[in-house]
Amino acid sequence: MLNSNQIRKKFLEFFASKGHTIIDSDSLVPQNDPSVLFTSAGMNQFKEQFMGKITGYRRASSCQKCLRTADLVNVGKSPTHHTFFEMLGNFSFGDYFKAEAIRWAWEFITGVLKLPPEKLWISVHTSDQEAYEIWLNTVGIPADRIVRLGDRDNFWPANAPTDGPNGPCGPCSEIFYDWGKEYGCQKPECSPACDCKRFSEIWNLVFTQYDRQSDGRLAALPSKNIDTGMGLERITSVMQNVRENYATDLFIPILESLKSELAKTGIVPPAAWMASPAKAIADHIRAAVVSIGDGVIPSNETRGYVIRKLIRRSIIHLKNVGGAHPLCYKLVYTIAETLQEPYPDLKRRHETIAGIIKKEEEMFWTILRERAPHNEAAFKALAENPASLGEQLYDSLVRKAGISEASALAFVQYDTYGVPLEISKENAQKFGLRVDDDEVEKAMELQRSQSRSKSQLAGEIFAKTTGQLVHGMRTSFIGYEQLECTATVQALLKGNELVGSGGAGEEIDIILDTTPFYAESGGQAGDRGLFSGDAGVEAEVIDTVKVDEVIIHRTKILRGSITKGIRLYGRVNPDLRSATARNHTATHLLQSALRAILGGHVEQSGSAVSEEKLRFDFSHLSALPAQTLQSVEQKVNQCIWANTPVQTAVMNIDEAKACGALAFFGEKYGSTVRELSIGDYSREFCGGTHVRATGEIGLFKIITEYSVAQGIRRIEAVTGAAALALVQEREQLIAQASELLKTSPAALLDTIKKNVSQVKDQEKDLKKLRAGSVSSTADTVLEQSRDIGGVFVAVADMRDYSMEELRALSDAIRGKKDPVVCVLAATAAPKPLLIVSLSASLVRRGVDAVKIIREIAALAGGSGGGRKELAQAGAKDATALLQALEQTMTVVEKFLKN
């Protein structure tokens, strides 16, 4: 029996023997594909080849990491649905077509995997007679095991002939495994066209032979392509003779680890839970591990939101079986082990990944504990008064999505606070309300459509790209050796079109045959500089980017006109290049220092290098103390002062890895790489520009260190003249502070400590004084109150009172008068405060402090909330709050009359 690693290996070896170039899996985060959020198919990384781009190969094969969430509700319940999965595929870009694709698929399935031919069925598109005859006559499949299916089942994209999208498309042919009649519907006509569980689709062969036009016509493509996909999880279940993917070597270790970890907490899950929710957890955390390994950090935005949702769904499953503490992170090591052969980086980084998942779990468990009571209170308030939902939410959800107030509240509680729908349903039911799953889903779909709009995901599967426009062009980069040259204009781009010329005042993209300008790459900003030419032509290069083999100069023409074919003299701004080089080399030294001080788990997660400063993102779970930052800074500067030579060499990627060179996060490398080494300090893949020796950096100073995501920290720093300016600026601040406090710089800290201690003592004395006089202060406020229909309305600005002091004064006022409405503000507090309290007799009459405070706070640009008898709010601006207080009597009078 073959295991999953053996199947993966045999597949790639087989197609290598057929002349295919084996391509590593692309990241789950698409690099240059705006049409998808995650890599969802094996063909994603080959889209440009499918569009006709000529590369070094016309046949390719890969095992691609994929992630899909469209069938999330079926994961765990279905034996074959997953979020993360691996797709085995072979591809032809205008080379071989149906005959070879079908013949090789059959050869691999029956000859290499040794599946019995009599257990295999075939489907073809109703119109694809060519594929039908190849299966029937060349391969020898009996006609009664070949079924013809329509556009929904056997065309890619599904229903494309009638529904679109426009672009490359074509019929499919699928291979099915027959588990036997005993697993089916028992009908004589049972076939892969049937919905029973007898057949498993194991391989889909797509014949991309048409180009759908805007009028619906299917025009023949001049270059026909092959795109096949076989899910590793499905073929593994067949090869291991188990009916579901969760019973294969890909999932059994994860499920056993989950059961073991639950047992350690005293939980013995029932069989029904292990049959579905446990499988969903195994799937979801597996997807989270691989995604985090590819740089997707749980968050509330786009990809991060998807991963956060998977982790939280897993936690809810655990909660339902009695879990109360983080546990999912304990599965990371097992998951990394099961995927170690194809993705060894997961094993190497498993501690960091586990730490990120654990923090996410801790945060959500806190939400579950703290938000549950608030959730109950929110539904209680809604049952008593539907208007408590708020006009904005009512308008955006109840009116726009057409759902009930209860479903809208459940969605908000889930989306904003992460409160599971099950908790909202339970609390809604307590107060006679009903949360409808379909309505909540409508609200979620409304949000998803808004999110897609914000993230600007393209709708076309094959979107027109700049790469297509410049296909066949190439720019020779000479910027490592020189900063100026004369070159010929190959092409001009404006917007997304090739143009013949550009004139003064226009911004235009210029492509040269040779350039010294470095294009933005690997986190380093593109060069800037000037172009000049005959007839007084002048242009400013404001940025430089790279598309495939072409370097594009983003240019503003200052004088004259530029046309295709003319010669231009280009000069990189040397000062900006030198400053950028200092920062880039310092980034390498920074990573080396962090790894030496914090440990080998530190890995680059992104960077940005310009002439102004450097920004470095790295994996680490906690903030760096000041002393550690000082040690990092010192280590970098020691290397700078050693004036170590910076050397580069172009070599085979395997040789570079063997030498211990580190790769840049998110970057895709070819067979040869440029390695940059700085003595024994650092060795990395890098195509950027650098100093010749570290001494040229001069000085390195850290500006700040902070968190950018779960498990990811960021350091911003400056070098050279900017570092010196930072030191001088801080020295000036110290001198000014010393002068202000009438002390010396050496004694400044002691003086500040002494002053802070004195202020704290004075604040304590003031609080005692106020506490002792709260009764007399209450009398003073009441003296200024007004009688509105027999109700005392007391309004006062208490200046710098704290919220605690405002509450105490409010209680004293309510104790002296009844009925009374008390409105107190603190406009001189660090953040302006407002409090509204009512006598119990007014609450029984239906007066609501929350409604009053919301209207007053809104006048000051703030918001508030609380209970009917006591509510509080904050305001953005003290002046606005003072103006709002002037209208308070009118606001209160309105609510008293109601």
Side-chain angles (χ1 to χ4, degrees):
M1 182 176 71
L2 296 177
N3 63 38
S4 55
N5 287 327
Q6 292 169 325
I7 296 169
R8 187 190 299 108
K9 184 179 180 183
K10 284 181 177 292
F11 181 89
L12 297 175
E13 286 176 346
F14 175 80
F15 281 101
S17 74
K18 303 299 183 184
H20 291 63
T21 299
I22 305 305
I23 305 298
D24 288 340
S25 172
D26 201 4
S27 168
L28 278 177
V29 180
Q31 299 302 302
N32 296 297
D33 187 351
S35 68
V36 289
L37 203 58
F38 288 96
T39 299
S40 57
M43 55 77 65
N44 284 150
Q45 68 169 316
F46 300 114
K47 284 188 177 181
E48 291 195 337
Q49 286 91 331
F50 280 126
M51 293 299 292
K53 178 183 175 183
I54 305 301
T55 58
Y57 53 86
R58 299 182 74 94
R59 300 179 179 184
S61 184
S62 68
C63 180
Q64 174 63 51
K65 295 178 285 187
C66 300
L67 194 143
R68 299 176 187 172
T69 57
D71 289 328
L72 201 57
V73 294
N74 290 320
V75 173
K77 300 174 183 176
S78 158
T80 58
H81 279 86
H82 299 291
T83 51
F84 168 76
F85 59 95
E86 295 179 82
M87 186 64 79
L88 301 166
N90 59 289
F91 310 92
S92 167
F93 316 116
D95 186 27
Y96 63 84
F97 200 46
K98 293 181 186 178
E100 295 87 346
I102 290 172
R103 192 172 67 248
W104 290 338
W106 187 254
E107 182 182 344
F108 178 74
I109 287 286
T110 60
V112 177
L113 297 186
K114 307 294 185 184
L115 287 177
E118 66 274 10
K119 299 285 284 182
L120 302 172
W121 286 60
I122 307 298
S123 72
V124 297
H125 189 258
T126 51
S127 67
D128 196 352
Q129 186 63 23
E130 180 184 4
Y132 178 86
E133 291 183 359
I134 293 170
W135 283 114
L136 181 69
N137 300 323
T138 304
V139 176
I141 301 291
D144 60 0
R145 292 216 309 273
I146 305 175
V147 296
R148 294 179 182 267
L149 300 175
D151 292 346
R152 184 176 70 87
D153 298 303
N154 271 70
F155 205 92
W156 184 89
N159 291 322
T162 54
D163 301 338
N166 297 331
C169 58
C172 311
S173 181
E174 296 173 312
I175 302 174
F176 292 84
Y177 182 77
D178 183 358
W179 290 98
K181 292 181 180 179
E182 62 272 25
Y183 293 103
C185 59
Q186 309 299 323
K187 296 176 182 177
E189 67 273 17
C190 184
S191 77
C194 185
D195 289 333
C196 70
K197 306 300 181 183
R198 173 179 168 182
F199 299 94
S200 289
E201 177 219 323
I202 56 176
W203 205 340
N204 187 15
L205 316 179
V206 179
F207 311 126
T208 314
Q209 63 189 79
Y210 300 120
D211 184 3
R212 189 185 190 277
Q213 306 297 300
S214 56
D215 61 2
R217 287 184 301 109
L218 298 180
L221 279 171
S223 179
K224 296 176 174 59
N225 305 313
I226 290 293
D227 163 20
T228 86
M230 176 162 58
L232 177 64
E233 291 77 8
R234 288 196 185 186
I235 189 62
T236 301
S237 73
V238 170
M239 293 304 298
Q240 295 178 5
N241 197 33
V242 289
R243 288 302 312 274
E244 60 174 85
N245 301 350
Y246 294 100
T248 68
D249 67 308
L250 288 164
F251 287 95
I252 287 175
I254 306 171
L255 291 167
E256 288 179 346
S257 178
L258 174 59
K259 193 172 183 179
S260 172
E261 293 298 336
L262 284 169
K264 291 176 186 177
T265 65
I267 296 173
V268 180
W273 189 86
M274 289 300 298
S276 181
K279 294 169 185 175
I281 293 171
D283 170 274
H284 292 358
I285 302 305
R286 185 171 178 254
V289 167
V290 181
S291 299
I292 294 170
D294 276 358
V296 182
I297 304 300
S299 69
N300 283 333
E301 300 293 329
T302 57
R303 297 181 182 92
Y305 180 74
V306 172
I307 303 310
R308 170 165 286 174
K309 185 176 180 179
L310 293 177
I311 295 171
R312 290 184 171 185
R313 284 176 67 92
S314 300
I315 294 170
I316 293 303
H317 286 313
L318 287 168
K319 181 177 180 294
N320 290 339
V321 79
H325 303 284
L327 186 144
C328 296
Y329 76 97
K330 296 180 180 180
L331 305 179
V332 172
Y333 183 81
T334 302
I335 292 169
E337 272 200 322
T338 64
L339 295 171
Q340 181 176 8
E341 186 167 312
Y343 315 116
D345 281 355
L346 293 177
K347 183 76 174 290
R348 184 170 52 82
R349 298 185 59 209
H350 79 273
E351 289 183 353
T352 298
I353 296 170
I356 291 170
I357 292 176
K358 184 180 182 183
K359 279 184 173 291
E360 188 68 19
E361 288 189 88
E362 290 171 341
M363 183 169 66
F364 191 53
W365 278 113
T366 300
I367 288 172
L368 290 177
R369 283 190 291 269
E370 294 182 357
R371 288 303 311 178
H374 294 282
N375 179 270
E376 183 175 353
F379 277 101
K380 182 175 185 290
L382 184 66
E384 293 173 351
N385 182 9
S388 67
L389 186 65
E391 182 62 27
Q392 185 178 357
L393 290 176
Y394 188 89
D395 183 64
S396 63
L397 290 172
V398 179
R399 288 198 183 104
K400 188 175 288 186
I403 66 178
S404 69
E405 288 91 342
S407 296
L409 178 58
F411 165 73
V412 171
Q413 290 279 315
Y414 171 78
D415 187 60
T416 306
Y417 304 111
V419 178
L421 293 182
E422 289 79 2
I423 292 177
S424 286
K425 284 181 178 180
E426 184 180 321
N427 286 326
Q429 200 169 12
K430 290 178 184 176
F431 304 105
L433 301 174
R434 180 175 175 272
V435 173
D436 185 277
D437 286 345
D438 292 337
E439 289 185 347
V440 175
E441 179 56 34
K442 281 179 71 175
M444 290 180 177
E445 180 53 39
L446 180 65
Q447 187 208 53
R448 281 193 288 267
S449 64
Q450 292 170 344
S451 177
R452 283 192 292 268
S453 174
K454 286 179 184 176
S455 61
Q456 296 181 323
L457 295 180
E460 292 295 325
I461 294 173
F462 289 96
K464 189 176 183 183
T465 65
T466 303
Q468 293 171 246
L469 296 173
V470 301
H471 178 59
M473 301 181 197
R474 186 179 184 280
T475 304
S476 175
F477 176 63
I478 58 172
Y480 294 135
E481 299 82 23
Q482 57 195 80
L483 297 182
E484 53 191 85
C485 77
T486 300
T488 301
V489 176
Q490 288 191 82
L492 301 168
L493 285 167
K494 191 168 179 65
N496 205 29
E497 292 182 1
L498 290 167
V499 295
S501 64
E506 285 189 79
E507 289 193 4
I508 199 163
D509 294 344
I510 298 175
I511 300 171
L512 303 176
D513 60 349
T514 304
T515 185
F517 287 80
Y518 178 84
E520 178 184 358
S521 181
Q524 179 177 329
D527 277 335
R528 289 178 277 164
L530 294 171
F531 284 148
S532 60
D534 293 340
V537 169
E538 279 191 25
E540 179 187 4
V541 179
I542 54 180
D543 196 9
T544 311
V545 297
K546 188 173 184 181
V547 177
D548 297 333
E549 300 299 315
V550 168
I551 292 176
I552 298 175
H553 308 80
R554 299 270 157 84
T555 307
K556 183 174 183 179
I557 302 175
L558 304 175
R559 192 176 294 115
S561 64
I562 297 176
T563 58
K564 180 180 176 181
I566 72 166
R567 301 277 284 172
L568 288 177
Y569 168 74
R571 183 173 184 270
V572 175
N573 185 313
D575 295 332
L576 299 184
R577 167 69 80 86
S578 295
T580 303
R582 284 193 290 270
N583 286 333
H584 200 158
T585 306
T587 303
H588 286 236
L589 297 179
L590 174 59
Q591 174 162 231
S592 174
L594 288 167
R595 288 173 65 85
I597 292 170
L598 300 179
H601 68 278
V602 169
E603 289 190 341
Q604 183 171 351
S605 296
S607 72
V609 177
S610 67
E611 74 280 1
E612 295 176 353
K613 65 179 181 180
L614 64 92
R615 189 192 78 205
F616 184 76
D617 297 346
F618 59 99
S619 54
H620 191 63
L621 294 174
S622 58
L624 273 60
Q627 189 174 356
T628 302
L629 286 173
Q630 196 173 36
S631 298
V632 170
E633 196 174 77
Q634 180 69 17
K635 194 167 188 67
V636 173
N637 279 310
Q638 285 172 346
C639 181
I640 290 171
W641 300 330
N643 199 29
T644 306
V646 177
Q647 300 174 317
T648 61
V650 177
M651 62 180 70
N652 179 276
I653 188 169
D654 294 329
E655 181 185 352
K657 286 181 178 178
C659 293
L662 299 177
F664 172 72
F665 170 79
E667 200 75 3
K668 246 188 142 177
Y669 299 96
S671 57
T672 58
V673 295
R674 183 172 182 258
E675 183 202 68
L676 183 125
S677 59
I678 308 172
D680 295 329
Y681 296 101
S682 172
R683 189 183 294 269
E684 296 185 39
F685 296 178
C686 187
T689 61
H690 291 267
V691 299
R692 290 163 296 184
T694 58
E696 295 177 26
I697 298 171
L699 180 66
F700 172 85
K701 283 294 295 178
I702 292 173
I703 303 171
T704 184
E705 185 271 346
Y706 55 96
S707 170
V708 290
Q710 291 279 10
I712 304 295
R713 309 295 302 179
R714 173 173 291 172
I715 284 178
E716 293 183 8
V718 287
T719 63
L724 178 61
L726 180 64
V727 171
Q728 291 173 333
E729 179 187 335
R730 289 177 176 176
E731 285 180 343
Q732 188 176 8
L733 284 172
I734 292 171
Q736 290 172 344
S738 300
E739 184 179 351
L740 192 65
L741 295 172
K742 294 181 171 49
T743 188
S744 66
L748 179 61
L749 184 59
D750 287 338
T751 303
I752 291 173
K753 286 180 179 177
K754 181 180 177 182
N755 288 353
V756 168
S757 178
Q758 289 174 348
V759 169
K760 285 183 177 178
D761 289 341
Q762 290 168 355
E763 286 176 344
K764 286 178 183 176
D765 292 341
L766 183 59
K767 280 188 176 181
K768 287 178 182 177
L769 186 62
R770 284 175 175 169
S773 62
V774 66
S775 179
S776 61
T777 304
D779 290 336
T780 302
V781 172
L782 283 169
E783 286 174 5
Q784 306 299 318
S785 66
R786 280 179 53 189
D787 185 322
I788 300 178
V791 177
F792 292 96
V793 180
V795 180
D797 177 14
M798 304 310 297
R799 301 292 296 157
D800 61 348
Y801 269 42
S802 67
M803 183 58 76
E804 182 183 356
E805 289 171 324
L806 289 177
R807 286 199 201 99
L809 179 57
S810 168
D811 289 343
I813 290 171
R814 284 191 291 171
K816 289 177 177 287
K817 291 289 184 183
D818 187 8
V820 66
V821 176
C822 179
V823 181
L824 302 176
T827 60
K831 181 184 177 183
L833 303 172
L834 181 68
I835 189 170
V836 173
S837 63
L838 308 177
S839 299
S841 58
L842 290 176
V843 174
R844 287 193 294 270
R845 280 170 48 183
V847 186
D848 190 337
V850 174
K851 292 179 181 179
I852 295 173
I853 203 166
R854 281 179 177 168
E855 188 156 334
I856 299 171
L859 296 171
S863 60
R867 305 187 305 276
K868 289 186 176 184
E869 68 275 10
L870 177 66
Q872 62 189 53
K876 297 177 182 177
D877 180 70
T879 303
L881 182 54
L882 279 169
Q883 293 170 349
L885 284 178
E886 294 174 2
Q887 301 177 55
T888 295
M889 290 294 182
T890 304
V891 173
V892 172
E893 186 173 7
K894 180 182 74 172
F895 282 102
L896 290 177
K897 286 182 178 179
N898 289 341

